[in-house]
Amino acid sequence: MADVTWRATTGGTSPGGTSKTRSTRAWRVRSSAVIVAAVVLAVLLVPPLVNLDEQAVNLAAKLQPPSWAHPFGTDDVGRDLLVRCVYGLRVSLLVGVVAAVVATVIGTAVGALAAASGGWVDRVVMRLVDVFSSVPHLLLGIFIVAMFRPGVWPVVVSVALTHWLSTARIVRAEVLSLRSRPYVDAALSGGASRLRVTVRHLLPGVLPQAGLAAVLMVPHAVWHESALSFLGLGLPTHQASLGTLVQSARGSLLAGDWWPTLFPGLFIIVPTLAIAGLAGAWRERINPRRRSELTL
């Protein structure tokens, strides 16, 4: 009864509930930060120390289970799976980050153009966004990469052209909100052009949301690249990426050798969830309403 009365009079949660929620959220953020830091160190330090070309084929050591010599075991041709997973993560993150940046730039430009122009331009642009959104991302990505030879850049283009739509909607909503601010009306009344107001006043206000959208897009881009490579439409099979590693381990899994599939799969799931966790903390910081809702 006292707790209910406290909620009614203060509009918040009990101190114990708030403390527990904040402690859980802080633990998640710290865990995500540690994982992301470990991933960054691995992709930066391991490649200079171990040359992937030196991981020669050794059929005598193929499909060895995890051991002190090979913590992740070996693949179907005797190469160290830990080294290949780190290299694969490096390639997949490169594709994900570049594609996320390109998609964010496209989405920010389209969303800002639609909201700043208004009228029929806004309606036409957003109807086009709805049309593209109705097509499944993976299906559209397959169509795009099928027109090129397997490689990094076709995958980057595919992911970028299928992931800018949500950013466009977010930026448009933010720009529409900023257009109603008094300083924007004052700038327009003072003779500033619509383009100048958009560049000087509206775009800086949406940069935090656009940056957050880019970070949240990285996990999706990594998953997208892994799916395309697993289907044989992304990176070539001889190039180490998380998707190609899982694809090449299918036969080993059917034979009962679990490690060539498990560890690349964990390298896909764990780092991307950690990145999403840090992005969620960023979202709470830049969105006071979201932060207050989480403490209720």
Side-chain angles (χ1 to χ4, degrees):
M1 182 66 179
D3 183 64
V4 175
T5 305
W6 189 90
R7 287 173 180 268
T9 55
T10 63
T13 57
S14 62
T18 302
S19 176
K20 183 177 180 180
T21 302
R22 291 177 179 175
S23 176
T24 302
R25 194 159 63 244
W27 179 85
R28 291 176 180 175
V29 172
R30 286 194 294 267
S31 301
S32 299
V34 170
I35 294 173
V36 171
V39 167
V40 172
L41 289 176
V43 299
L44 291 179
L45 297 181
V46 171
L49 297 176
V50 181
N51 190 347
L52 188 62
D53 296 333
E54 296 177 357
Q55 300 294 309
V57 174
N58 183 10
L59 295 179
K62 70 175 184 178
L63 294 177
Q64 291 185 355
S67 62
W68 287 110
H70 304 285
F72 285 6
T74 60
D75 62 7
D76 55 351
V77 292
R79 294 171 296 190
D80 187 84
L81 195 57
L82 174 58
V83 175
R84 292 190 62 79
C85 283
V86 173
Y87 270 89
L89 180 61
R90 187 187 191 192
V91 173
S92 296
L93 283 179
L94 173 65
V95 173
V97 170
V98 174
V101 171
V102 175
T104 301
V105 171
I106 296 174
T108 301
V110 172
L113 172 66
S117 300
W120 66 269
V121 175
D122 184 24
R123 291 192 295 270
V124 170
V125 170
M126 297 314 296
R127 294 297 78 76
L128 290 176
V129 170
D130 292 338
V131 170
F132 281 109
S133 299
S134 64
V135 182
H137 288 174
L138 185 58
L139 181 62
L140 184 58
I142 291 174
F143 175 77
I144 294 174
V145 298
M147 297 187 296
F148 304 94
R149 291 182 178 181
V152 172
W153 292 112
V155 177
V156 170
V157 172
S158 169
V159 175
L161 293 181
T162 55
H163 286 73
W164 60 271
L165 305 170
S166 59
T167 304
R169 288 196 177 96
I170 293 172
V171 170
R172 174 181 177 270
E174 287 294 319
V175 172
L176 288 176
S177 175
L178 293 174
R179 281 180 56 186
S180 61
R181 302 293 176 84
Y183 65 86
V184 174
D185 293 334
L188 292 173
S189 301
S193 65
R194 191 183 298 270
L195 177 61
R196 181 179 178 83
V197 170
T198 301
V199 174
R200 294 291 300 273
H201 300 288
L202 298 181
L203 282 180
V206 303
L207 288 182
Q209 294 290 346
L212 174 60
V215 176
L216 286 171
M217 206 179 301
V218 172
H220 291 276
V222 172
W223 297 334
H224 198 108
E225 179 276 324
S226 299
L228 291 175
S229 297
F230 178 80
L231 295 174
L233 298 172
L235 275 65
T237 55
H238 67 271
Q239 185 170 2
S241 77
L242 297 178
T244 57
L245 290 178
V246 175
Q247 195 273 343
S248 62
R250 290 184 301 172
S252 302
L253 182 62
L254 294 176
D257 300 321
W258 49 268
W259 55 93
T261 304
L262 174 64
F263 292 112
L266 290 177
F267 267 61
I268 295 174
I269 296 172
V270 175
T272 53
L273 289 180
I275 295 173
L278 290 181
W282 184 4
R283 177 173 55 190
E284 296 170 23
R285 181 172 294 274
I286 67 176
N287 191 341
R289 173 182 292 182
R290 174 66 178 171
R291 185 166 62 248
S292 63
E293 290 174 353
L294 290 174
T295 58
L296 291 179

PDB file of all heavy atoms in Angstrom, residues 4 16 78-79 90 96 98 106 163 216 220-221 270 278:
ATOM      1  N   VAL A   4       2.242   1.849  -3.458  1.00  0.00           N
ATOM      2  CA  VAL A   4       1.242   2.410  -4.368  1.00  0.00           C
ATOM      3  C   VAL A   4       1.046   3.891  -4.086  1.00  0.00           C
ATOM      4  O   VAL A   4       0.932   4.722  -4.997  1.00  0.00           O
ATOM      5  CB  VAL A   4      -0.089   1.632  -4.242  1.00  0.00           C
ATOM      6  CG1 VAL A   4      -1.161   2.282  -5.081  1.00  0.00           C
ATOM      7  CG2 VAL A   4       0.106   0.176  -4.643  1.00  0.00           C
ATOM      8  N   GLY A  16      13.585   1.057  -4.489  1.00  0.00           N
ATOM      9  CA  GLY A  16      14.204  -0.235  -4.740  1.00  0.00           C
ATOM     10  C   GLY A  16      14.059  -0.661  -6.178  1.00  0.00           C
ATOM     11  O   GLY A  16      14.986  -1.165  -6.795  1.00  0.00           O
ATOM     12  N   GLY A  78      42.040 -27.934 -42.047  1.00  0.00           N
ATOM     13  CA  GLY A  78      43.103 -27.868 -41.053  1.00  0.00           C
ATOM     14  C   GLY A  78      43.551 -26.486 -40.645  1.00  0.00           C
ATOM     15  O   GLY A  78      44.567 -26.357 -39.953  1.00  0.00           O
ATOM     16  N   ARG A  79      42.829 -25.421 -41.007  1.00  0.00           N
ATOM     17  CA  ARG A  79      43.216 -24.069 -40.620  1.00  0.00           C
ATOM     18  C   ARG A  79      42.619 -23.709 -39.265  1.00  0.00           C
ATOM     19  O   ARG A  79      41.542 -24.181 -38.906  1.00  0.00           O
ATOM     20  CB  ARG A  79      42.758 -23.067 -41.688  1.00  0.00           C
ATOM     21  CG  ARG A  79      43.464 -23.241 -43.017  1.00  0.00           C
ATOM     22  CD  ARG A  79      42.833 -22.385 -44.101  1.00  0.00           C
ATOM     23  NE  ARG A  79      41.465 -22.796 -44.376  1.00  0.00           N
ATOM     24  CZ  ARG A  79      40.748 -22.347 -45.420  1.00  0.00           C
ATOM     25  NH1 ARG A  79      41.290 -21.487 -46.265  1.00  0.00           N
ATOM     26  NH2 ARG A  79      39.511 -22.765 -45.598  1.00  0.00           N
ATOM     27  N   ARG A  90      36.270  -9.234 -38.978  1.00  0.00           N
ATOM     28  CA  ARG A  90      36.820  -7.980 -39.492  1.00  0.00           C
ATOM     29  C   ARG A  90      36.163  -7.601 -40.819  1.00  0.00           C
ATOM     30  O   ARG A  90      35.745  -6.454 -41.017  1.00  0.00           O
ATOM     31  CB  ARG A  90      38.327  -8.137 -39.680  1.00  0.00           C
ATOM     32  CG  ARG A  90      39.054  -6.866 -40.057  1.00  0.00           C
ATOM     33  CD  ARG A  90      40.502  -7.183 -40.377  1.00  0.00           C
ATOM     34  NE  ARG A  90      41.304  -5.973 -40.500  1.00  0.00           N
ATOM     35  CZ  ARG A  90      42.526  -5.937 -40.984  1.00  0.00           C
ATOM     36  NH1 ARG A  90      43.094  -7.066 -41.393  1.00  0.00           N
ATOM     37  NH2 ARG A  90      43.190  -4.816 -41.068  1.00  0.00           N
ATOM     38  N   GLY A  96      29.526  -4.025 -42.698  1.00  0.00           N
ATOM     39  CA  GLY A  96      28.416  -3.469 -41.936  1.00  0.00           C
ATOM     40  C   GLY A  96      28.559  -1.988 -41.663  1.00  0.00           C
ATOM     41  O   GLY A  96      27.601  -1.221 -41.820  1.00  0.00           O
ATOM     42  N   VAL A  98      30.512   0.330 -43.272  1.00  0.00           N
ATOM     43  CA  VAL A  98      30.457   1.133 -44.498  1.00  0.00           C
ATOM     44  C   VAL A  98      29.029   1.197 -45.026  1.00  0.00           C
ATOM     45  O   VAL A  98      28.532   2.274 -45.415  1.00  0.00           O
ATOM     46  CB  VAL A  98      31.410   0.560 -45.557  1.00  0.00           C
ATOM     47  CG1 VAL A  98      31.248   1.303 -46.885  1.00  0.00           C
ATOM     48  CG2 VAL A  98      32.857   0.652 -45.087  1.00  0.00           C
ATOM     49  N   ILE A 106      22.107   8.396 -47.134  1.00  0.00           N
ATOM     50  CA  ILE A 106      20.976   8.404 -48.071  1.00  0.00           C
ATOM     51  C   ILE A 106      19.674   8.680 -47.333  1.00  0.00           C
ATOM     52  O   ILE A 106      18.863   9.529 -47.755  1.00  0.00           O
ATOM     53  CB  ILE A 106      20.897   7.057 -48.820  1.00  0.00           C
ATOM     54  CG1 ILE A 106      22.137   6.847 -49.690  1.00  0.00           C
ATOM     55  CG2 ILE A 106      19.636   7.010 -49.693  1.00  0.00           C
ATOM     56  CD1 ILE A 106      22.190   5.479 -50.338  1.00  0.00           C
ATOM     57  N   HIS A 163      18.549  -0.521 -46.534  1.00  0.00           N
ATOM     58  CA  HIS A 163      18.449  -0.187 -45.114  1.00  0.00           C
ATOM     59  C   HIS A 163      18.341   1.316 -44.828  1.00  0.00           C
ATOM     60  O   HIS A 163      18.437   1.714 -43.672  1.00  0.00           O
ATOM     61  CB  HIS A 163      19.657  -0.750 -44.353  1.00  0.00           C
ATOM     62  CG  HIS A 163      19.607  -2.236 -44.158  1.00  0.00           C
ATOM     63  ND1 HIS A 163      19.817  -3.126 -45.187  1.00  0.00           N
ATOM     64  CD2 HIS A 163      19.365  -2.993 -43.053  1.00  0.00           C
ATOM     65  CE1 HIS A 163      19.717  -4.358 -44.732  1.00  0.00           C
ATOM     66  NE2 HIS A 163      19.436  -4.300 -43.445  1.00  0.00           N
ATOM     67  N   LEU A 216      22.656   1.496 -34.895  1.00  0.00           N
ATOM     68  CA  LEU A 216      21.688   0.406 -34.851  1.00  0.00           C
ATOM     69  C   LEU A 216      21.658  -0.385 -36.155  1.00  0.00           C
ATOM     70  O   LEU A 216      21.253  -1.554 -36.166  1.00  0.00           O
ATOM     71  CB  LEU A 216      20.294   0.960 -34.561  1.00  0.00           C
ATOM     72  CG  LEU A 216      20.031   1.415 -33.127  1.00  0.00           C
ATOM     73  CD1 LEU A 216      18.692   2.144 -33.036  1.00  0.00           C
ATOM     74  CD2 LEU A 216      20.042   0.232 -32.180  1.00  0.00           C
ATOM     75  N   HIS A 220      22.292  -5.071 -38.200  1.00  0.00           N
ATOM     76  CA  HIS A 220      21.460  -5.535 -39.307  1.00  0.00           C
ATOM     77  C   HIS A 220      22.291  -5.738 -40.570  1.00  0.00           C
ATOM     78  O   HIS A 220      22.072  -6.700 -41.325  1.00  0.00           O
ATOM     79  CB  HIS A 220      20.339  -4.525 -39.569  1.00  0.00           C
ATOM     80  CG  HIS A 220      19.313  -4.465 -38.484  1.00  0.00           C
ATOM     81  ND1 HIS A 220      18.248  -5.339 -38.405  1.00  0.00           N
ATOM     82  CD2 HIS A 220      19.191  -3.647 -37.414  1.00  0.00           C
ATOM     83  CE1 HIS A 220      17.516  -5.059 -37.346  1.00  0.00           C
ATOM     84  NE2 HIS A 220      18.059  -4.037 -36.727  1.00  0.00           N
ATOM     85  N   ALA A 221      23.235  -4.850 -40.808  1.00  0.00           N
ATOM     86  CA  ALA A 221      24.085  -4.984 -41.983  1.00  0.00           C
ATOM     87  C   ALA A 221      24.964  -6.222 -41.895  1.00  0.00           C
ATOM     88  O   ALA A 221      25.167  -6.932 -42.889  1.00  0.00           O
ATOM     89  CB  ALA A 221      24.942  -3.729 -42.150  1.00  0.00           C
ATOM     90  N   VAL A 270      27.045 -12.475 -30.791  1.00  0.00           N
ATOM     91  CA  VAL A 270      27.486 -11.760 -29.585  1.00  0.00           C
ATOM     92  C   VAL A 270      27.930 -10.325 -29.881  1.00  0.00           C
ATOM     93  O   VAL A 270      27.459  -9.375 -29.226  1.00  0.00           O
ATOM     94  CB  VAL A 270      28.596 -12.554 -28.866  1.00  0.00           C
ATOM     95  CG1 VAL A 270      29.135 -11.756 -27.687  1.00  0.00           C
ATOM     96  CG2 VAL A 270      28.058 -13.902 -28.392  1.00  0.00           C
ATOM     97  N   LEU A 278      24.848  -1.074 -26.699  1.00  0.00           N
ATOM     98  CA  LEU A 278      25.398   0.282 -26.570  1.00  0.00           C
ATOM     99  C   LEU A 278      24.510   1.303 -27.280  1.00  0.00           C
ATOM    100  O   LEU A 278      24.330   2.425 -26.790  1.00  0.00           O
ATOM    101  CB  LEU A 278      26.811   0.325 -27.155  1.00  0.00           C
ATOM    102  CG  LEU A 278      27.893  -0.415 -26.355  1.00  0.00           C
ATOM    103  CD1 LEU A 278      29.241  -0.255 -27.038  1.00  0.00           C
ATOM    104  CD2 LEU A 278      27.963   0.080 -24.927  1.00  0.00           C
TER     105      LEU A 278
END
